[in-house]
Amino acid sequence: MKTQTAKILDGKALAGKIQQELSVAISELQTKVGRPPGLAVLMVGDNPASAAYVRNKEKACAKVGIASFGKHFAAETTQGELEEVIHTLNHDERVDGILVQLPLPNHLDAVGLLHQIDADKDADGLHPVNLGRLVRGETGLRSCTPAGVMRLLEEYKIPLQGKQAVVIGRSILVGKPMALMLLEADATVTIAHSRSHDLKAIAQNADILIAAAGRPGLISADMVKPGAVVVDVGMNRVTDASGNNRLVGDVDLESTAAVAGFITPVPGGVGPMTVALLLQNTFASYSRTVRK
Ligand code: NAD
């Protein structure tokens, strides 16, 4: 077994700290406002993984004092019905954040629903207006997973300016906003994807390597520059040799931890940060309404 030299970027601990700070800030502001912040998570159908994510988000809301206005809809709910619910929530003054849990049943158009959400209540930071604000470097709600990664890097004082950052994955959910946020922090950014040639050579060049491909074991120690910061966004359910189900990232943690300078574990790295940033986005919208 190789010796681990990498320092762990502990997302679970930082998420706990953020939640504690939010909890204090919420109770202070709530006495002035007369209501708590509110988040509505809309879930359609019975996908068990989605149900677990929704429960997790609602539990986290309860912990910090955010009221949940979540709704669970039958799989056959129509686009029109969901649009109507979103319009009502857009005008509900108790609700500061709205998100639609993905994936949706096939007959529904997720992007179409996203467009219906008031951009200032877009807790997931995925509305085109908020993505546009990110591209322009303007203030706005940022997508939770990449914003969570940025917060984690900031906490550990990882320098980004002028560094070579490589993002593996180009989805609108993670890869693209991640690359834009690193660019905003003055890193030199490369985006690699499934059609990139020689991923190993690209990855080896990274001072900051962000893996967001959803491919277990994609990143092995030989692809990592010694001392690099490795952030594993991947969340993959795999069945191991003894038939047990477990959650792994895109990075082979054991071998890579002997080469990298810093590394995020899975679970306990980026996942908890995503939820913490969702709460933070909801609180940001709440504070904004209060100041209006
Ligand atoms: P996606 O499937 O939409 O995108 C995957 C991206 O990876 C694509 O752009 C594709 O080009 C690239 N890719 C796939 N195989 C590749 C390969 N062999 N080499 C290089 N690039 C490759 O997925 P997503 O929604 O962006 O999510 C990515 C991963 O992050 C998934 O495992 C997902 O579960 C996880 N995720 C985690 C969190 C969290 O909170 N930790 C949040 C969102 C997504």
Side-chain angles (χ1 to χ4, degrees):
M1 193 161 136
K2 291 180 181 154
T3 342
Q4 176 175 324
T5 53
K7 199 168 170 206
I8 294 292
L9 298 171
D10 190 342
K12 193 172 171 201
L14 177 56
K17 181 176 136 184
I18 292 171
Q19 290 188 5
Q20 228 157 30
E21 288 167 0
L22 272 176
S23 169
V24 173
I26 288 170
S27 65
E28 277 175 13
L29 203 51
Q30 194 177 329
T31 48
K32 288 186 205 139
V33 185
R35 69 163 180 92
L39 175 67
V41 179
L42 307 183
M43 168 157 172
V44 188
D46 292 310
N47 182 323
S50 296
Y53 289 138
V54 171
R55 270 198 307 277
N56 200 6
K57 288 170 186 174
E58 289 181 345
K59 241 168 67 187
C61 280
K63 224 163 133 188
V64 301
I66 294 178
S68 286
F69 293 87
K71 291 192 165 81
H72 188 174
F73 300 90
E76 53 279 0
T77 308
T78 65
Q79 185 87 6
E81 285 167 335
L82 289 167
E83 285 181 0
E84 236 181 87
V85 171
I86 292 174
H87 294 160
T88 308
L89 291 168
N90 281 343
H91 293 106
D92 189 333
E93 290 192 346
R94 300 165 305 165
V95 175
D96 304 286
I98 304 166
L99 76 89
V100 179
Q101 185 66 41
L102 302 177
L104 291 172
N106 287 338
H107 69 282
L108 294 169
D109 165 20
V111 178
L113 290 178
L114 188 58
H115 278 255
Q116 302 304 315
I117 296 175
D118 176 344
D120 292 325
K121 292 193 177 189
D122 167 37
D124 257 346
L126 296 173
H127 190 284
V129 166
N130 285 318
L131 291 173
R133 287 170 174 157
L134 170 62
V135 173
R136 294 180 58 90
E138 293 172 1
T139 316
L141 294 165
R142 298 288 195 247
S143 26
C144 301
T145 301
V149 171
M150 295 304 285
R151 180 67 184 82
L152 194 54
L153 296 176
E154 185 193 319
E155 182 72 11
Y156 285 85
K157 302 188 168 50
I158 308 282
L160 297 175
Q161 192 177 23
K163 299 290 180 189
Q164 297 287 341
V166 172
V167 179
I168 305 176
R170 58 174 163 185
S171 74
I172 202 76
L173 183 64
V174 188
K176 281 181 190 165
M178 185 75 255
L180 286 163
M181 287 180 204
L182 288 162
L183 188 61
E184 207 177 21
D186 294 328
T188 302
V189 184
T190 303
I191 305 178
H193 47 80
S194 53
R195 302 292 166 96
S196 296
H197 292 161
D198 202 352
L199 186 65
K200 184 174 171 179
I202 299 170
Q204 277 174 339
N205 197 31
D207 300 310
I208 320 284
L209 181 62
I210 316 272
R215 299 279 181 272
L218 180 69
I219 303 300
S220 46
D222 59 332
M223 298 169 82
V224 174
K225 188 199 255 190
V229 177
V230 178
V231 175
D232 192 354
V233 181
M235 287 208 314
N236 312 293
R237 289 238 158 254
V238 295
T239 312
D240 63 20
S242 33
N244 295 322
N245 232 330
R246 57 192 190 98
L247 191 67
V248 298
D250 291 354
V251 177
D252 175 18
L253 183 67
E254 199 188 312
S255 68
T256 305
V259 180
F262 289 87
I263 197 161
T264 59
V266 176
V270 178
M273 289 303 296
T274 299
V275 178
L277 268 286
L278 171 68
L279 304 176
Q280 213 166 55
N281 274 350
T282 307
F283 180 69
S285 298
Y286 172 68
S287 322
R288 243 184 111 253
T289 23
V290 172
R291 272 190 263 111
K292 265 184 193 168

